Amino acid sequence: MDTYIGPNLRAAICRFKGLKAAFIQDEYRWINDTMTAFRQLGVHILFSVVPQEIMDDYYPQDRLPNVVRETVLTGYVPGELLDRTVPRLEDRSIDVGYRARKVPDWLGSFAQEKWLISGRFEADAAQYGLTCDMSTREEDRIYGENWIKFLANCKAVLGTESGASVCDFTGEIQRNVDQHLARDPSASFETLRDLYFKDEDNRVVLAVISPRCFEAAALQTLMILYEGTYSGRLEPWRHYVPLKKDHSNMAEVMEVLRDPVRAQEIVDRAYREVALNPDNSFEAMVRQVDRAIDRRYHPEMAATKRCYAEGELVALVAREKRRTRRRELMQKVMRKAKQTVRHRLVVIAKVVAANGVIHVARLTPGPIRRWAKRIVLRHTRIRRLIGIDA
């Protein structure tokens, strides 16, 4: 836990008598350590992306007594995209776009779909003459405003559910896989699965909607998605075009993609019923958080000190910045001092060594001294000849 919350901050959180809530994502590993940390910190509310139907598999109530376990989404509709002017589908230059990264093998077979869908679709799309812009390479990733522009220039975008099909409660699965790959980087996913997590893969599947679905709906881009539940927010053929995981219905998908009227109908419904749905907004999440706090709050959790005024907060931040600058300056001075001390120690050691050599040389008989001198001179000539001492 020290990697994320240092001992001093952890102790302060433990002493705090008010209501404590934790938000967590990417919670498919170190689950036991996570629950231990929540108990130690005295967390009252856990906001997790784990669906309620498998919440007990991840966070059993007896391991987190008196903790309210709330399911939230991985993301919500960015409100600033709703009023954005976007090109019509027929005016967009990319037929199908996609970006993803190759995820670690220890996340299980379900997570691999995120990057496998790209290669499979491109191979199928070649025979249909589609203009595709897809990549799973890290250097091709797109961020910020450039990602929004890219998505708005695609007639359609690929997608899968987010999540994992392996619950690594102890972190042992990840350690074993990483150690194996360090020895043999060419090991296949199938080999690693059969060796280290065959029984765990797909035992409990965490499958939830990706924030990218909300972005696509808001930017009125057609979604071509692997079949799934998508946290109950999307319906196949109504909000997206379902693609079977073996790609056996590619021809059916192409029919929609090449039918502007039908594609526009799906896009329009996704915009109205998903992007504009208040339940998918950040405001809805805030209301859910407020309700959870109201359920778990008790009067004894009330503040015993007055709240900081705005000016006091500004002063606190300024004081912390001054402390940080002083600490950085002190660290710089200490590094310089250590370098100076090391340099002086080296000089002293060289002087002592040189005096020792002179002393030994004086005690050495003449013939041995002359022989040693010839050896040194010979080695010196050779080193200069081959350019070592040039």
Side-chain angles (χ1 to χ4, degrees), residues 30-58:
W30 307 321
I31 301 171
N32 289 344
D33 289 344
T34 299
M35 287 189 286
T36 299
F38 288 155
R39 289 196 303 271
Q40 290 176 352
L41 296 173
V43 169
H44 302 104
I45 308 175
L46 170 61
F47 293 99
S48 162
V49 300
V50 175
Q52 285 296 315
E53 54 266 27
I54 60 171
M55 186 69 79
D56 285 333
D57 294 313
Y58 267 78

Side-chain angles (χ1 to χ4, degrees), residues 132-338:
C132 295
D133 188 341
M134 304 178 186
S135 179
T136 57
R137 300 190 308 170
E138 196 66 29
E139 57 267 30
D140 292 335
R141 291 183 67 80
I142 308 172
Y143 298 96
E145 179 63 20
N146 289 333
W147 166 252
I148 300 302
K149 290 179 179 177
F150 170 79
L151 197 56
N153 191 39
C154 295
K155 293 184 178 72
V157 64
L158 292 183
T160 68
E161 289 180 292
S162 292
S165 54
V166 170
C167 299
D168 192 357
F169 284 87
T170 63
E172 182 180 2
I173 294 174
Q174 180 184 349
R175 285 192 295 271
N176 289 337
V177 170
D178 288 347
Q179 289 170 5
H180 189 116
L181 288 173
R183 298 190 304 270
D184 179 13
S186 64
S188 67
F189 169 80
E190 290 74 19
T191 297
L192 296 168
R193 179 191 59 199
D194 292 345
L195 284 173
Y196 303 115
F197 54 91
K198 184 177 181 180
D199 294 336
E200 282 297 317
D201 196 19
N202 289 307
R203 185 178 66 82
V204 179
V205 179
L206 173 59
V208 296
I209 191 171
S210 165
R212 287 189 177 184
C213 295
F214 292 132
E215 292 172 346
L219 293 171
Q220 301 171 58
T221 301
L222 182 68
M223 291 180 276
I224 301 174
L225 310 177
Y226 272 170
E227 294 175 313
T229 60
Y230 294 91
S231 303
R233 309 293 167 134
L234 303 179
E235 295 181 26
W237 297 117
R238 183 170 186 84
H239 304 127
Y240 71 95
V241 179
L243 174 63
K244 293 186 181 300
K245 294 185 179 182
D246 61 2
H247 292 224
S248 59
N249 68 328
M250 187 69 180
E252 191 177 21
V253 171
M254 287 305 305
E255 288 179 9
V256 178
L257 195 55
R258 287 180 168 169
D259 184 344
V261 175
R262 193 175 173 193
Q264 190 65 55
E265 288 175 352
I266 295 175
V267 166
D268 290 342
R269 279 196 298 270
Y271 182 77
R272 290 194 311 269
E273 300 175 5
V274 178
L276 296 181
N277 187 339
D279 291 340
N280 298 328
S281 67
F282 282 99
E283 289 80 4
M285 186 200 72
V286 171
R287 289 192 294 270
Q288 181 183 359
V289 170
D290 286 344
R291 289 193 299 269
I293 291 174
D294 289 340
R295 290 202 311 272
R296 190 62 183 83
Y297 174 78
H298 295 297
E300 59 268 22
M301 295 177 178
T304 56
K305 298 179 180 179
R306 67 175 181 83
C307 297
Y308 285 112
E310 184 177 351
E312 291 174 316
L313 284 175
V314 172
L316 281 172
V317 171
R319 186 173 64 186
E320 186 59 31
K321 286 182 178 179
R322 289 195 298 271
R323 287 178 177 174
T324 301
R325 285 196 295 269
R326 285 198 297 268
R327 185 164 56 247
E328 291 174 350
L329 179 61
M330 184 60 67
Q331 290 172 349
K332 185 177 180 180
V333 170
M334 290 300 295
R335 283 196 300 269
K336 185 66 175 177
K338 287 179 181 178

Side-chain angles (χ1 to χ4, degrees), residues 347-362:
V347 171
I348 292 171
K350 286 181 178 179
V351 171
V352 171
N355 290 336
V357 170
I358 293 171
H359 182 67
V360 171
R362 287 173 178 170

